[in-house]
Amino acid sequence: MGMNRTGIQMSPLDSRAMQEVEPAIVSSDGVDERALAELRSDYIANADALGSVPLPGTLTGAVTVGVSMLKGDSPQILLDKLGERLAFERTGTRLYDALITKCDIMLTEDMSMTIDDLEQIRADEARHFLMVADAIESLGGDPTSQTPSADLVGVESMGLVQVLNDPRTTIAQSLHAIVTAELSDKAGWETLVALADEHGLAEMVDSFTQALNEEREHLALTQTWYEEAIGLTYGDVEIDDAASLLQAPE
Ligand SMILES: [Fe+2]
């Protein structure tokens, strides 16, 4: 608890005056909202796409992608999603770097999470990054190019990076952002396994499934650490007590 003055209860007189304003001023006929929506619609209708998947820059690449397209596959979708994983695993590595720096200063003995655990997950993310880069090259793509989905997840994860690098955030708050990243990681690998399977790329299905299992473990671990950090201790909860709380009072 602290000197937070953001709520309306902080100033009863002003808040009463604010609520007594002329009804016309706060009328909900939505004229302004409609004008805003119309303006946005215009932009949406005339907008470019979020970039494109690049054409292969090498002859071997062009042949690989060409053969795949002749077979009726859509290598551009797979390349786009591989670019997405590449971008997100790179960010993931940096998120763990930031968390490790934070834990060097703030981690206390009462948490089961250790810096070694974090170093290990960080190493997994870095290895996944290299695995995806290899996969892109094997399909004739260029891992240094930014695909539309790579751009998308770059924007999505900006908030997570900000949370981790903010010197004021606690370990619990940082873990909240990390859990969000791991949820997204797990979903991303699930999509990638399915896509590789659709393209009949058995080796990729195997290595991506391995990565997916590691991501599942990351999620389970970070979620447990997060709950520990906010003081949840399942060990103390008696099932009978929990059940009686759910029953309506007599
Ligand atoms: Fe992960």
Side-chain angles (χ1 to χ4, degrees):
M1 298 284 177
M3 288 301 293
N4 183 332
R5 297 159 63 88
T6 55
I8 201 168
Q9 291 177 353
M10 280 294 119
S11 184
L13 288 179
D14 290 325
S15 59
R16 201 172 308 127
M18 192 175 83
Q19 283 164 319
E20 278 165 5
V21 86
E22 275 286 300
I25 296 177
V26 287
S27 76
S28 55
D29 61 11
V31 176
D32 286 343
E33 280 82 355
R34 255 206 316 277
L36 268 177
E38 256 167 47
L39 183 68
R40 289 199 180 106
S41 310
D42 220 35
Y43 278 113
I44 293 168
N46 296 305
D48 292 331
L50 208 59
S52 61
V53 177
L55 293 165
T58 63
L59 189 61
T60 334
V63 172
T64 315
V65 170
V67 168
S68 168
M69 283 178 111
L70 282 175
K71 284 196 296 183
D73 287 340
S74 320
Q76 71 279 16
I77 297 178
L78 181 58
L79 283 169
D80 182 33
K81 303 312 273 181
L82 283 167
E84 170 192 311
R85 270 323 345 104
L86 189 74
F88 204 83
E89 295 295 322
R90 184 200 295 116
T91 302
T93 310
R94 289 177 182 160
L95 291 176
Y96 278 98
D97 278 337
L99 183 58
I100 290 166
T101 305
K102 187 154 287 206
C103 286
D104 272 336
I105 306 288
M106 298 175 83
L107 190 61
T108 50
E109 296 274 295
D110 55 356
M111 274 197 70
S112 62
M113 174 178 85
T114 65
I115 304 256
D116 277 354
D117 295 330
L118 297 177
E119 298 275 12
Q120 201 177 331
I121 299 181
R122 188 224 179 261
D124 286 347
E125 309 290 4
R127 187 163 36 78
H128 295 167
F129 170 83
L130 294 173
M131 180 200 289
V132 177
D134 284 347
I136 293 172
E137 274 183 342
S138 76
L139 293 171
D142 178 355
T144 64
S145 62
Q146 167 140 300
T147 70
S149 291
D151 190 348
L152 180 78
V153 295
V155 175
E156 283 175 355
S157 53
M158 275 194 317
L160 305 177
V161 175
Q162 282 181 335
V163 168
L164 265 297
N165 286 323
D166 190 324
R168 299 167 303 169
T169 51
T170 63
I171 289 179
Q173 288 161 345
S174 301
L175 281 169
H176 187 270
I178 290 271
V179 169
T180 308
E182 292 294 1
L183 280 165
S184 183
D185 241 353
K186 180 176 128 329
W189 281 104
E190 279 167 354
T191 306
L192 216 46
V193 170
L195 266 175
D197 188 44
E198 215 157 73
H199 285 76
L201 299 162
E203 257 178 54
M204 278 190 210
V205 172
D206 281 353
S207 53
F208 293 176
T209 304
Q210 173 69 31
L212 171 60
N213 287 334
E214 284 161 0
E215 295 298 353
R216 285 185 173 133
E217 206 183 318
H218 296 175
L219 178 59
L221 283 169
T222 53
Q223 205 162 1
T224 306
W225 294 331
Y226 166 68
E227 287 168 2
E228 214 178 286
I230 60 167
L232 266 177
T233 45
Y234 293 120
D236 295 345
V237 179
E238 295 287 334
I239 300 294
D240 286 350
D241 286 357
S244 68
L245 283 174
L246 293 172
Q247 278 162 11
E250 289 168 29

